[in-house]
Amino acid sequence: MYLENKSDLDLKSPAAAPGLQGRSSLRTAEAVAGGYGEVAGNFGGLRLLEGFSGRIESQKLQQASARSPGNCVMHAEDRQSFSMVNFLKGNTNQTERSPLIRFSQDDSITYMTLYEGEETWDNNSLELDRRCRLGSEVTSLSLSRSSSTEKDPLDVHLNFKLSNSVRSCISIFKIACIFTFVVLMSLFFSMYPDRDNPWRMLAVSPTESFSLNLTDFRDNALLKLQVGGPFVSGMVDLTNEEYILIQVEQTEEAGPRRRRVIYNWTIPLHSERSDQVITTKTFEMLSSDPIIITVQAFVQDNSMVPLSMTHQSLYVTRERQVVIAAVILGGVYVLIIFEIVHRTLAAMLGSLAALAALAMIGDRPSLSTVVEWIDYETLALLFGMMILVAIFSETGFFDYCAVKAYQLSRGKVWPMIIILCLIAAILSAFLDNVTTMMLFTPVTIRLCEVLNLDPRHVLIAEVIFTNIGGAATAVGDPPNVIIVSNQDLRKSGIDFASFTGYMFLGICLVLLTSFPFLRLLYWNKKLYNKESSEIVELRHEIRVWRQTAQRISPASREETAVKCLLMQKVLNLESVLRKQLKTFQRQISQEDKNWENNIQELHKKNRITDRVLLVKCISVLGVVIFMFFLNSFVPSIHLELGWIAIFGALWLLVLADIQDFEIILHRVEWATLLFFAALFVLMKALAQLQLIDYIGVQTALLIKAVPEEQRLAMAIILVMWVSALASSLIDNIPFTATMIPVLINLSQDADVNLPIKPLIFALAMGACLGGNGTLIGASANVVCAGIAEQHGYGFSFMEFFRLGFPMMLMTCTIGMCYLLATIIGLGWTL
């Protein structure tokens, strides 16, 4: 077997390349790793090759190495119960006779031939170097992995050592528990049918009403009504004289006494009668006695109002639904925080549990309803920008930008970090945070590799300031877009100009105080790698090659052979690494004093590789960014951000004339897209379980309990911190959409008497800045972590939490002080 592009996949032995393979080999490894996409599971790594190479006598090893070059890939002792050769062959009594892979046995050594055909490699020394001799190397590697004290911090998640048997038992127990959970949730979900109550079409007027008598009802159940019609979304306008009145009545006969409960639900009508809005409300019933629903319209012209209505019986109280939702959300966070499973799988498990809970309470959604819960605009934006960035990276532009930033900072670390964070904050104020991080993450990684820095700390700082900068304008963060787009809030005077003007001043103050606090947080952080840049790069290259090998599932003989070649590459590089570590003397400097001499060398290594493609990429990306701006200010352009990103990806694919389309698709972060899809379903299901509504109602009750003279200040503090903490745990988009009508109704309550603008600004400040609290608090955090993981620099939930949560507390405190000082202290009317 041979690889078609031999220059792209360097598999030379250490003898042929005793030193570092170079940056070109590292970029090749990253390209191969990106080609196989996100790690969907651990295929065992070297366990595929461990276990079949035991203690081989030195004489047998020398014998094996002296054999024909076509028969020296693997060896195993006949005494072992498990053999990699048997695994590959599928049967110990049969011999593989494929022209691609051939097995033969001699004494206690088994050989696998990767190529056998008309052409021979015996006379070609270059091909001889590419043979896979994995016998003693695998044995030494497996022993070194278990006994070496030089452990990579990215690969070690526990501070204590466990024996292999204990780890194996823990792994089996984890898999058994998760599998049992999945089976149980699947059974619970399948035991209950979809809610099949059809929609009733009706028309009401001031003179004609509609009545419905419900008899099939359980004790202590909830009645969920969904009504569709030309309603006003959001605010309940008390001055509106046209509305729909829905009356829910139930009479309970308990012996000689009778109890009667009546609920009145008022829904204001839209003046144009055009838009169809579906609204939902849940009522607590007393018993299983019949329920009478009466619908009547109050309009000025006595015209008929068309409506649609459906009902559903829920068998669990609101309090229990909230408890179930909180347990599910807590379980998802436990899986992510302790890295029990990948965050994508954790979101999927949480979505399954939430759907099963909805089914058990009698509100199981259909498949089409679950699909509608997914925000496809966000997924389209992510997918389009991933395609653009994947093609852009082929030009070498990111490497070139890294060298320029290195030159601009004059080799100093903190000026470079401040420049990057400031630029990211400014761009995110006008662009979507996800777009900003997708453009900045590859540049930052290359720059940190040039400066021998750990990219994880720099990336976390960048994404934190991206979320801060996004709160400055009405288009920088999705919660701000939801607030400005609300028609009811526009009537209250919250438009693009007033919102941006007030928030911009506050965020500038937050930014000024954030840079010193960031320096304080990073005071004891070792930004520089503890080893030389050559060793760090070699470790990263080994990690990327190993991940590439793990991502190959040996489903065919060809894939098995390629995986063996990649593992040979890992063994050769680890041998080179051990030699360098023996002669290495630790030297760490906080400033590259020879930066001027290194600039010319860096310019030679990091050049623009394809200027024509670079011009095409910059042109298309410029048009896409311009359309992003135009979409925010020109309402006549009927294109959402997702459509603009998709169109930009199509334009660049046509202009770039991509022949191998699968290479581009392999660089798409499919695991990140799947994570967002599962997260959307999870958050919508938690909203159906009354969790978000419960948070809003409890916040309103706390505000009402405060004395009137302190109510405004306390309301700002409560809304600010509840929004920040909630946005750290759940998606801030559905939370913001839920809190807006709660705050509007609270401001219209005559007993509360609070202005709406301070509450909305507190909501915006808390929802945007709260995204820095956890890794899944904001979309930009997840995207940055996914891209960094693809490049071999992934950071965990706790690594982000240690830096992001203190920054969230500090920025929210400064934002709260700004709101209180301007509204309470200075008395701004806004």
Side-chain angles (χ1 to χ4, degrees):
M1 191 200 81
Y2 66 94
L3 300 176
E4 295 181 359
N5 193 350
K6 296 171 184 165
S7 62
D8 291 341
L9 187 60
D10 185 13
L11 298 173
K12 295 183 180 180
S13 63
L20 185 62
Q21 299 290 335
R23 299 184 185 275
S24 60
S25 179
L26 176 58
R27 286 196 292 269
T28 301
E30 292 178 351
V32 175
Y36 286 100
E38 188 74 26
V39 180
N42 186 3
F43 291 100
L46 293 178
R47 283 179 294 177
L48 181 66
L49 302 174
E50 293 175 4
F52 64 88
S53 296
R55 296 182 178 179
I56 305 299
E57 299 175 358
S58 59
Q59 182 179 2
K60 294 183 179 181
L61 290 176
Q62 293 177 358
Q63 244 179 1
S65 61
R67 291 184 180 272
S68 175
N71 296 328
C72 48
V73 173
M74 300 179 179
H75 68 274
E77 288 187 355
D78 294 338
R79 298 188 303 268
Q80 295 178 342
S81 60
F82 172 79
S83 174
M84 180 58 194
V85 176
N86 296 336
F87 172 79
L88 294 175
K89 292 164 63 176
N91 191 341
T92 57
N93 297 326
Q94 298 179 357
T95 302
E96 178 65 49
R97 298 180 180 179
S98 169
L100 176 68
I101 303 177
R102 179 172 58 84
F103 294 91
S104 61
Q105 294 186 352
D106 187 8
D107 296 334
S108 63
I109 301 178
T110 304
Y111 306 98
M112 184 181 75
T113 306
L114 292 180
Y115 178 86
E116 180 178 318
E118 296 180 358
E119 298 181 7
T120 61
W121 292 348
D122 294 340
N123 298 327
N124 193 334
S125 60
L126 293 177
E127 301 296 347
L128 288 176
D129 291 334
R130 301 188 183 191
R131 300 301 180 89
C132 295
R133 300 183 177 93
L134 299 184
S136 59
E137 288 87 352
V138 172
T139 304
S140 61
L141 179 59
S142 60
L143 293 176
S144 64
R145 283 171 62 104
S146 61
S147 61
S148 176
T149 59
E150 302 163 353
K151 296 186 178 181
D152 196 329
L154 291 176
D155 296 331
V156 180
H157 301 288
L158 299 176
N159 295 326
F160 54 92
K161 296 182 180 179
L162 297 175
S163 62
N164 292 334
S165 59
V166 175
R167 291 185 180 182
S168 178
C169 293
I170 293 177
S171 177
I172 295 175
F173 178 75
K174 180 193 73 174
I175 295 175
C177 291
I178 295 177
F179 182 75
T180 304
F181 171 80
V182 171
V183 172
L184 290 177
M185 292 299 103
S186 302
L187 290 176
F188 290 152
F189 184 78
S190 61
M191 289 170 59
Y192 301 91
D194 293 343
R195 51 188 181 201
D196 54 355
N197 289 348
W199 285 84
R200 297 175 181 269
M201 307 304 297
L202 57 134
V204 294
S205 67
T207 58
E208 297 183 12
S209 61
F210 172 80
S211 296
L212 178 63
N213 191 6
L214 302 180
T215 57
D216 187 11
F217 210 73
R218 293 186 183 180
D219 292 335
N220 299 325
L222 301 178
L223 174 63
K224 179 180 178 181
L225 282 182
Q226 287 183 291
V227 182
F231 304 137
V232 176
S233 60
M235 180 174 60
V236 178
D237 190 0
L238 299 179
T239 62
N240 193 346
E241 298 181 356
E242 297 185 337
Y243 57 91
I244 295 293
L245 177 61
I246 301 177
Q247 189 178 72
V248 180
E249 179 182 355
Q250 185 184 41
T251 302
E252 180 185 18
E253 296 183 1
R257 303 180 58 183
R258 299 178 61 185
R259 287 197 308 168
R260 184 180 182 186
V261 58
I262 299 177
Y263 297 101
N264 291 324
W265 182 18
T266 302
I267 310 175
L269 292 171
H270 199 279
S271 58
E272 298 180 358
R273 305 280 205 280
S274 57
D275 297 335
Q276 290 291 318
V277 177
I278 297 178
T279 180
T280 305
K281 192 174 181 64
T282 305
F283 306 93
E284 294 184 0
M285 296 291 100
L286 298 176
S287 63
S288 59
D289 293 332
I291 300 173
I292 300 175
I293 301 176
T294 305
V295 183
Q296 189 173 5
F298 292 87
V299 294
Q300 296 178 356
D301 54 0
N302 294 328
S303 60
M304 302 293 291
V305 179
L307 300 175
S308 58
M309 185 176 66
T310 185
H311 69 279
Q312 189 75 20
S313 300
L314 307 182
Y315 309 125
V316 179
T317 61
R318 291 179 180 175
E319 291 75 13
R320 291 184 179 179
Q321 291 185 38
V322 172
V323 171
I324 293 173
V327 170
I328 293 173
L329 185 62
V332 172
Y333 269 88
V334 168
L335 294 177
I336 296 177
I337 291 174
F338 296 100
E339 298 182 0
I340 299 176
V341 294
H342 194 272
R343 59 178 175 270
T344 303
L345 181 57
M348 296 173 66
L349 293 176
S351 301
L352 175 61
L355 292 176
L358 288 176
M360 287 187 289
I361 69 174
D363 194 19
R364 169 180 163 170
S366 62
L367 180 59
S368 59
T369 303
V370 174
V371 172
E372 291 175 357
W373 289 351
I374 301 175
D375 187 356
Y376 288 101
E377 180 184 352
T378 301
L379 297 183
L381 173 64
L382 292 172
F383 178 76
M385 293 306 300
M386 287 176 182
I387 295 292
L388 290 174
V389 173
I391 301 177
F392 212 155
S393 62
E394 296 291 332
T395 63
F397 179 75
F398 296 142
D399 297 344
Y400 179 78
C401 290
V403 176
K404 285 299 181 182
Y406 175 72
Q407 184 178 3
L408 183 63
S409 63
R410 301 178 65 85
K412 298 181 180 179
V413 176
W414 273 104
M416 179 205 69
I417 295 178
I418 292 176
I419 291 173
L420 290 176
C421 292
L422 186 60
I423 295 176
I426 294 174
L427 285 180
S428 63
F430 303 98
L431 288 178
D432 185 81
N433 295 352
V434 173
T435 304
T436 303
M437 288 312 303
M438 293 190 69
L439 296 176
F440 258 73
T441 303
V443 178
T444 303
I445 291 176
R446 289 299 300 138
L447 177 59
C448 292
E449 290 175 348
V450 169
L451 293 178
N452 192 25
L453 297 176
D454 189 352
R456 296 173 298 175
H457 300 304
V458 183
L459 289 175
I460 293 175
E462 277 187 8
V463 75
I464 288 174
F465 278 86
T466 298
N467 293 327
I468 295 175
T473 64
V475 296
D477 219 6
N480 296 355
V481 177
I482 295 175
I483 291 174
V484 177
S485 301
N486 190 281
Q487 298 296 328
D488 302 321
L489 294 178
R490 287 188 177 184
K491 296 177 183 178
S492 303
I494 301 178
D495 55 5
F496 183 90
S498 62
F499 183 88
T500 302
Y502 184 79
M503 293 290 292
F504 183 79
L505 293 177
I507 294 303
C508 287
L509 179 63
V510 171
L511 282 175
L512 290 177
T513 56
S514 296
F515 283 110
F517 190 73
L518 178 69
R519 186 67 180 90
L520 182 63
L521 282 179
Y522 279 44
W523 188 264
N524 293 324
K525 296 289 183 182
K526 299 186 183 299
L527 300 179
Y528 275 97
N529 290 304
K530 297 181 180 180
E531 299 168 337
S532 64
S533 58
E534 291 80 7
I535 293 180
V536 172
E537 187 174 355
L538 186 57
R539 286 186 182 276
H540 176 56
E541 187 174 353
I542 292 173
R543 188 181 305 113
V544 172
W545 281 112
R546 182 179 288 114
Q547 288 179 354
T548 305
Q550 291 173 353
R551 292 168 185 172
I552 301 178
S553 177
S556 63
R557 295 184 300 275
E558 293 82 357
E559 292 175 343
T560 302
V562 171
K563 185 164 187 173
C564 293
L565 291 174
L566 295 177
M567 295 309 301
Q568 166 71 13
K569 179 70 174 180
V570 172
L571 295 171
N572 293 342
L573 292 178
E574 291 213 355
S575 176
V576 175
L577 177 62
R578 285 192 293 269
K579 293 180 181 178
Q580 291 194 6
L581 288 175
K582 291 180 181 179
T583 59
F584 171 70
Q585 294 180 355
R586 186 171 302 175
Q587 295 176 353
I588 304 177
S589 61
Q590 292 300 317
E591 181 179 351
D592 190 358
K593 299 180 179 179
N594 299 323
W595 70 273
E596 293 181 348
N597 299 331
N598 295 336
I599 286 294
Q600 296 180 354
E601 185 68 22
L602 291 174
H603 274 298
K604 294 179 181 178
K605 294 181 179 180
N606 303 276
R607 294 179 177 179
I608 301 298
T609 58
D610 194 337
R611 297 184 181 273
V612 177
L613 182 59
L614 177 62
V615 172
K616 296 177 181 179
C617 291
I618 293 179
S619 301
V620 172
L621 189 60
V623 172
V624 170
I625 294 176
F626 177 73
M627 292 293 292
F628 284 165
F629 282 106
L630 211 59
N631 178 73
S632 303
F633 299 101
V634 181
S636 60
I637 298 180
H638 304 289
L639 285 179
E640 303 295 338
L641 298 182
W643 279 115
I644 296 174
I646 291 294
F647 288 158
L650 291 176
W651 297 339
L652 190 55
L653 285 172
V654 173
L655 292 177
D657 193 19
I658 301 297
Q659 299 297 329
D660 195 347
F661 193 71
E662 291 186 358
I663 293 181
I664 301 300
L665 292 181
H666 285 158
R667 296 188 180 182
V668 175
E669 289 287 332
W670 296 108
T672 302
L673 296 178
L674 187 58
F675 171 78
F676 276 109
L679 188 64
F680 291 143
V681 175
L682 173 62
M683 292 303 156
K684 191 65 176 180
L686 295 181
Q688 296 289 325
L689 289 171
Q690 311 291 327
L691 177 63
I692 300 178
D693 291 336
Y694 178 81
I695 296 175
V697 171
Q698 294 302 316
T699 304
L701 291 177
L702 288 176
I703 293 175
K704 291 181 180 180
V706 178
E708 185 175 357
E709 60 273 6
Q710 303 173 357
R711 186 168 295 165
L712 181 57
M714 188 58 64
I716 293 175
I717 296 174
L718 281 176
V719 173
M720 177 80 182
W721 284 105
V722 169
S723 302
L725 295 177
S727 298
S728 298
L729 300 176
I730 60 178
D731 191 3
N732 53 13
I733 295 177
F735 178 78
T736 304
T738 303
M739 285 298 294
I740 288 177
V742 172
L743 297 180
I744 290 176
N745 295 332
L746 189 65
S747 66
Q748 294 178 346
D749 193 338
D751 298 332
V752 179
N753 191 22
L754 290 176
I756 185 60
K757 288 186 178 180
L759 302 180
I760 292 299
F761 285 125
L763 173 64
M765 195 82 72
C768 295
L769 299 180
N772 289 326
T774 61
L775 180 61
I776 63 175
S779 302
N781 306 352
V782 181
V783 171
C784 180
I787 298 176
E789 185 177 359
Q790 189 182 38
H791 286 78
Y793 298 105
F795 46 86
S796 64
F797 182 95
M798 293 304 300
E799 287 176 329
F800 185 92
F801 182 81
R802 294 188 189 101
L803 299 174
F805 194 77
M807 284 293 295
M808 186 269 289
L809 295 179
M810 191 278 301
T811 54
C812 288
T813 302
I814 300 299
M816 180 191 65
C817 294
Y818 169 74
L819 291 172
L820 294 176
T822 55
I823 298 173
I824 306 298
L826 299 179
W828 288 7
T829 58
L830 301 179

